[in-house]
Amino acid sequence: MSEMQEYIVDATNKILKKHVTKELVDASEKGEWSDQLWDVLVESGLVSVGIEEGLGGTGGDATDGFAILRLAGKYAAPVPIFETIIAGWLLADHKVETTYEPISFSMNIESDLNSNDFVLKQVPWGRHVKKVVYIGEINGAFKIAILPTDHATVKLNQNLAGEPLDELHFSGIELEKITQFDVDQQDTFNRVMTLAALGKSAMMAGAMEQVLDMSVFYAGERQQFGRPIGKFQAVQHHLSALTAETAVVLAALNYAIVAFQEGTIKEELPLAKMKISESAGKVAGIAHQLHGAIGMTHEHQLHQLSRRLWAWREDYGNESYWAKKLAKTYIENNDLTLWEFITNEKRGNVNV
Amino acid sequence: MKNLDLPVVSFTAEQNKFRKEVRDFLQKELNSGSFISHADSWMSGYSSEFSKKLGQQGWIGLTWPKKYGGQERSALDRYIVTEELLAIGAPVASHWFADRQSGPLFLKFGTEEQRKFFLPKIAKGECYFSIGLSEPNSGSDLASIKTKAEKVDGGWLVNGMKTWTSGAHHSHYAITLCRTSPPDEKNRHAGMSQFVLDLSAEGVTIQPIQFLTGEHHFNEVFLDNVFVPDEHVVGEIGNGWKQGMEELAYERSGPERILSTFPLLQEAVEYLKEQKDINGLAQALQLVSRMWSLRNMSIGVAQMLEKGEDVSLTASLVKDLGTIFEQTVAETVRLLIDSTPSVTSSKLIDRLMAESVLHGPGFTLRGGTTEILRGIVAKGVLAK
Ligand SMILES: Cc1cc2nc3c(=O)[nH]c(=O)nc-3n(C[C@H](O)[C@H](O)[C@H](O)COP(=O)(O)OP(=O)(O)OC[C@H]3O[C@@H](n4cnc5c(N)ncnc54)[C@H](O)[C@@H]3O)c2cc1C
């Protein structure tokens, strides 16, 4: 970790620890906007990390962003920090200055925007963001474009974790007049999927670290049969399994991030996202078993993390999506034996 | 809570070149028929000729000082050699324990004479070691061992019995844990010592225990008034438990805790690829994602070990997850390919499947059972 990253991690940790309470997450689920938290994050430059200072950013690189997202996942921060950071990077690719507003992004590879009235489904945090970075076709050409949401009405929807996943009904937008950039479809799709899958992986890793911490705490505190449940071997095995999954998830995440940083990331992305999504479900399940009925209550905090793990493991490709995709390229475009594939240091043979 | 991040290791260009050198050598050996691939080859593949060939290459004791016959290479270079050997299913059982833990034990706790005597022979692939820990009534509860060594003039007299001793019928020596003072209920780990036991010495009787496949891997070793000279005490008398525990970090975190069934996985993936079975391959690749992550972890632990950091918790994690992964390979692959598993089959995949299924239960037992490892991890995290 660079010195700058250590500083960022430390600052983020302090801010999130102070501001993200269970009540804040609850309120966000009821539709409230966490303005105080957002403002602190903006003022500290954490939503504009990985963007050069010339564009209004904080500097640093994407790995700093992933470090922030790991903590955002850990604390279940109820703000569109993932969306804003990644949308910001996509815009910075095209030298668009950052505006410090909450923004979201939406990738559409199924249809073409070709009228002034259209619907974007499942826009994360749609109700609270000022802009949506649209990645998809506009009038038949593949674009990255900025859609201002003041032209949109919102049909509320949410994911498993109660995070906004809204339907935006745009009307009266003149598509020719919005800021937009011609981009290569495949490259852009890959870039968005890479950033987003890594970002969500980092958030899941953080959430798993927190679930492990909560479970260790609970096992030491909750008493049955006259002693802490952590004294029972069956419960210890749950703790061990949680530790193991969290450690292996970090090993997957950290390798993928280094590959990304070195500009060589290829099959590391599906391999890491598959493993992390798989572990997310295991960790959530084991932690609930360990917590007993209290973990099933809204009052307890566990669900704020377990529901996020269940939601996020599906985002930007679950295990099955990436496994099939990798299988297809493995068959079509790869002469390596499995062992060569796994130990291949000069990646690049298998393009996913 | 302790940070669970492990170091991320990128192999250097030189290391990749070395990997290729090792791989080419092994491929040539395989092609020339010098060995055939087996699953779990680090426990079942005995070949002293092959071990000697590796010794000639300088690939045993790779990290040890040159003056003891080593090459002074890094732990990562050694990692490369060991994982290449396992991936191709080469017969490495003869020298495995000596290279992995007996040699390092001498380097850490041995006398200069012991190092000079044993290490060069081990590095040549000529001198093999077994591990004498378990006894009939002491498995997981190792501290309860009864085999004892009593001080006599010029050495120690050992009486008792070891069991499950892998390869004792091939090995020259066994690092043997004995009681050297009576059990102390207050400190169960006190009063034990490690000895280099010459397996050809008078009073040593080795009897095979047939493995469930009918093969001969492990043994009962009866010790009846066996004289062990003072020069064959390892480290300090009474410090045997602690010394033994240090060996475990090497024992639990290496690639052999992930790769025992890899030859099967590789064959299955080749087959599914040929069949263009996308769904089958997708399931196999999900296993690969686990394996890739575990390998990252195991390499991270190897790096930490080299720097002398404490890895007892993480090594236990690698072994727990890794050995269950090894078993899962067989359980997943059997549903993806059409196979009639048989150890006598001439079809490679059928044989590897049979070996993987039949050896599988041992993966989560040997070197500390899953249950014991989980206890270590849980106590580690609860203590933090
Ligand atoms: C293939 C193979 C090779 C081996 N090679 C060697 C060798 O070379 N040298 C050597 O010294 N030993 C060797 N062993 C022995 C191995 O170390 C032991 O099998 C292992 O330590 C477990 O001991 P046990 O078999 O007596 O089982 P036990 O200790 O009797 O355990 C039986 C079951 O009870 C469980 N159990 C026991 N105690 C507890 C507890 N406190 N909490 C929860 N569960 C518990 C165990 O996890 C296991 O599931 C080998 C074993 C195998 C299978």
Side-chain angles (χ1 to χ4, degrees):
Chain A
M1 223 192 281
S2 67
E3 220 169 278
M4 161 138 182
Q5 197 167 110
E6 268 172 48
Y7 172 79
I8 289 174
V9 164
D10 194 46
T12 312
N13 211 0
K14 284 197 183 119
I15 291 170
L16 295 179
K17 202 168 189 171
K18 176 164 171 215
H19 289 271
V20 183
T21 57
K22 162 136 200 311
E23 293 68 35
L24 189 79
V25 181
D26 285 344
S28 163
E29 258 191 72
K30 293 210 182 93
E32 281 177 37
W33 171 242
S34 318
D35 51 353
Q36 223 186 339
L37 171 63
W38 184 258
D39 291 346
V40 179
L41 291 172
V42 168
E43 279 157 27
S44 321
L46 296 177
V47 304
S48 46
V49 156
I51 297 174
E52 59 182 274
E53 287 166 31
L55 294 174
T58 314
D61 60 24
T63 67
D64 300 322
F66 295 134
I68 292 171
L69 291 176
R70 180 165 154 190
L71 289 164
K74 177 170 172 150
Y75 289 98
V79 281
I81 183 164
F82 165 86
E83 290 75 12
T84 302
I85 285 182
I86 288 178
W89 291 344
L90 295 173
L91 293 180
D93 288 346
H94 299 280
K95 303 286 171 213
V96 177
E97 283 203 22
T98 170
T99 54
Y100 315 105
E101 296 161 315
I103 43 179
S104 188
F105 63 94
S106 170
M107 187 148 68
N108 169 19
I109 46 168
E110 271 143 29
S111 57
D112 182 23
L113 293 194
N114 51 18
S115 89
N116 294 352
D117 303 332
F118 56 89
V119 176
L120 290 189
K121 287 186 179 158
Q122 302 195 349
V123 179
W125 294 90
R127 73 193 71 162
H128 292 306
V129 296
K130 303 285 184 239
K131 295 172 196 151
V132 176
V133 171
Y134 173 84
I135 306 114
E137 286 189 4
I138 296 178
N139 292 323
F142 205 82
K143 307 268 189 182
I144 280 189
I146 303 175
L147 302 174
T149 53
D150 48 7
H151 290 275
T153 55
V154 179
K155 193 170 157 219
L156 296 180
N157 181 38
Q158 61 181 30
N159 70 8
L160 269 177
E163 295 179 308
L165 196 61
D166 301 325
E167 202 169 286
L168 297 190
H169 292 247
F170 288 85
S171 59
I173 283 201
E174 290 182 60
L175 286 174
E176 306 72 41
K177 293 205 174 144
I178 60 175
T179 307
Q180 57 195 293
F181 306 94
D182 286 306
V183 291
D184 179 77
Q185 174 162 354
Q186 194 58 48
D187 289 352
T188 307
F189 177 82
N190 287 349
R191 172 137 172 92
V192 175
M193 285 303 270
T194 304
L195 295 175
L198 276 180
K200 276 281 147 108
S201 293
M203 291 165 81
M204 282 192 275
M208 285 185 248
E209 288 180 284
Q210 186 77 329
V211 168
L212 170 61
D213 265 2
M214 289 171 69
S215 301
V216 168
F217 175 78
Y218 191 70
E221 190 202 52
R222 168 72 172 167
Q223 304 241 347
Q224 285 293 284
F225 300 97
R227 46 194 174 144
I229 57 169
K231 294 275 181 213
F232 298 111
Q233 202 168 49
V235 173
Q236 292 184 349
H237 287 194
H238 288 323
L239 289 176
S240 174
L242 292 173
T243 310
E245 292 302 327
T246 307
V248 76
V249 155
L250 291 174
L253 176 72
N254 291 337
Y255 268 76
I257 287 178
V258 167
F260 175 83
Q261 192 174 16
E262 290 173 352
T264 57
I265 189 162
K266 291 255 161 75
E267 57 269 29
E268 291 91 344
L269 182 70
L271 292 173
K273 180 63 165 64
M274 273 191 260
K275 179 62 210 148
I276 295 170
S277 287
E278 176 189 61
S279 295
K282 281 193 199 167
V283 163
I286 296 169
H288 272 292
Q289 184 66 20
L290 184 144
H291 276 82
I294 194 84
M296 295 304 290
T297 63
H298 191 263
E299 190 187 333
H300 196 275
Q301 207 171 357
L302 179 60
H303 67 87
Q304 292 188 335
L305 293 147
S306 61
R307 285 189 299 133
R308 278 173 172 71
L309 288 172
W310 287 319
W312 295 344
R313 67 180 169 167
E314 310 297 346
D315 290 348
Y316 306 99
N318 64 14
E319 300 94 295
S320 166
Y321 169 89
W322 284 113
K324 283 196 192 124
K325 196 161 167 155
L326 190 58
K328 205 160 164 286
T329 39
Y330 195 92
I331 288 173
E332 286 167 3
N333 179 22
N334 166 43
D335 314 318
L336 304 177
T337 65
L338 179 60
W339 185 242
E340 288 167 335
F341 172 74
I342 287 169
T343 55
N344 190 13
E345 287 287 319
K346 274 278 153 277
R347 307 274 165 185
N349 211 340
V350 185
N351 218 329
V352 271
Chain B
M1 177 70 215
K2 190 174 169 278
N3 187 357
L4 292 169
D5 289 283
L6 293 169
V8 174
V9 174
S10 305
F11 290 105
T12 61
E14 221 165 290
Q15 282 165 335
N16 290 331
K17 215 174 113 211
F18 179 53
R19 181 187 293 285
K20 179 145 191 328
E21 186 192 328
V22 176
R23 189 175 291 171
D24 289 348
F25 171 85
L26 294 176
Q27 194 61 50
K28 227 188 259 160
E29 289 291 313
L30 182 69
N31 295 347
S32 73
S34 110
F35 69 87
I36 57 170
S37 296
H38 284 286
D40 200 20
S41 67
W42 65 276
M43 209 193 77
S44 54
Y46 292 104
S47 165
S48 47
E49 280 123 75
F50 189 75
S51 291
K52 281 179 196 147
K53 278 188 194 170
L54 292 179
Q56 275 160 17
Q57 296 294 316
W59 294 343
I60 301 176
L62 193 68
T63 59
W64 307 346
K66 289 198 171 135
K67 63 175 169 177
Y68 304 130
Q71 308 287 331
E72 301 185 2
R73 304 277 291 261
S74 69
L76 288 176
D77 287 340
R78 176 172 185 275
Y79 197 95
I80 289 171
V81 173
T82 51
E83 68 170 357
E84 289 295 326
L85 287 164
L86 296 168
I88 203 165
V92 289
S94 299
H95 69 270
W96 195 261
F97 297 122
D99 176 56
R100 178 178 74 187
Q101 62 200 90
S102 314
L105 182 74
F106 287 127
L107 281 172
K108 187 127 200 221
F109 298 105
T111 61
E112 187 57 24
E113 286 70 35
Q114 287 171 345
R115 292 177 192 158
K116 276 195 187 133
F117 182 79
F118 292 112
L119 295 181
K121 288 191 196 158
I122 295 176
K124 281 193 185 132
E126 290 171 356
C127 176
Y128 313 134
F129 277 72
S130 286
I131 302 178
L133 293 173
S134 304
E135 299 180 7
N137 292 316
S138 305
S140 299
D141 184 12
L142 187 60
S144 69
I145 54 161
K146 295 263 171 349
T147 298
K148 62 178 184 205
E150 284 165 302
K151 189 74 189 97
V152 292
D153 210 20
W156 298 77
L157 215 49
V158 178
N159 277 289
M161 169 184 183
K162 293 291 171 180
T163 191
W164 317 125
T165 320
S166 295
H169 55 305
H170 283 282
S171 299
H172 306 93
Y173 301 96
I175 302 284
T176 306
L177 188 68
C178 303
R179 283 228 143 266
T180 40
S181 45
D184 171 359
E185 268 314 309
K186 289 205 197 79
N187 184 1
R188 299 189 72 229
H189 298 155
M192 284 178 271
S193 310
Q194 287 181 307
F195 296 89
V196 186
L197 192 98
D198 181 344
L199 289 168
S200 62
E202 207 176 315
V204 178
T205 312
I206 299 172
Q207 275 185 5
I209 308 174
Q210 228 181 27
F211 203 52
L212 50 68
T213 54
E215 293 159 278
H216 180 190
H217 298 309
F218 44 33
N219 304 273
E220 289 178 304
V221 180
F222 298 91
L223 305 166
D224 181 17
N225 279 327
V226 182
F227 176 74
V228 179
D230 281 329
E231 306 89 83
H232 282 186
V233 172
V234 184
E236 275 170 57
I237 288 295
N239 197 33
W241 183 267
K242 196 176 150 278
Q243 292 170 199
M245 288 302 113
E246 293 203 17
E247 278 177 68
L248 288 180
Y250 292 96
E251 202 183 321
R252 289 181 173 160
S253 63
E256 68 268 46
R257 302 306 182 178
I258 304 172
L259 294 177
S260 299
T261 55
F262 181 78
L264 172 65
L265 183 58
Q266 169 137 304
E267 273 303 297
V269 163
E270 275 312 298
Y271 172 85
L272 294 165
K273 186 179 167 189
E274 264 165 41
Q275 301 290 310
K276 300 207 185 314
D277 177 353
I278 292 213
N279 287 326
L281 189 57
Q283 288 185 54
L285 288 173
Q286 234 178 296
L287 286 179
V288 173
S289 85
R290 284 169 70 177
M291 188 188 142
W292 174 78
S293 310
L294 284 165
R295 178 172 178 261
N296 296 346
M297 230 177 135
S298 163
I299 295 173
V301 175
Q303 176 91 322
M304 286 172 74
L305 262 175
E306 182 158 48
K307 291 196 180 140
E309 293 170 46
D310 175 22
V311 296
S312 50
L313 190 137
T314 33
S316 301
L317 293 176
V318 171
K319 182 175 186 281
D320 179 10
L321 287 174
T323 52
I324 286 178
F325 166 78
E326 294 178 328
Q327 291 172 341
T328 312
V329 166
E331 293 306 305
T332 305
V333 167
R334 62 178 266 275
L335 301 177
L336 300 179
I337 59 170
D338 204 6
S339 163
T340 309
S342 161
V343 285
T344 52
S345 176
S346 56
K347 224 173 119 193
L348 181 59
I349 200 155
D350 288 348
R351 185 167 55 71
L352 292 173
M353 178 64 96
E355 291 168 352
S356 300
V357 169
L358 295 174
H359 288 224
F363 302 163
T364 46
L365 295 172
R366 60 187 181 195
T369 69
T370 302
E371 289 75 12
I372 295 301
L373 295 172
R374 290 182 182 171
I376 294 171
V377 172
K379 290 191 182 96
V381 295
L382 279 167
K384 293 279 146 55

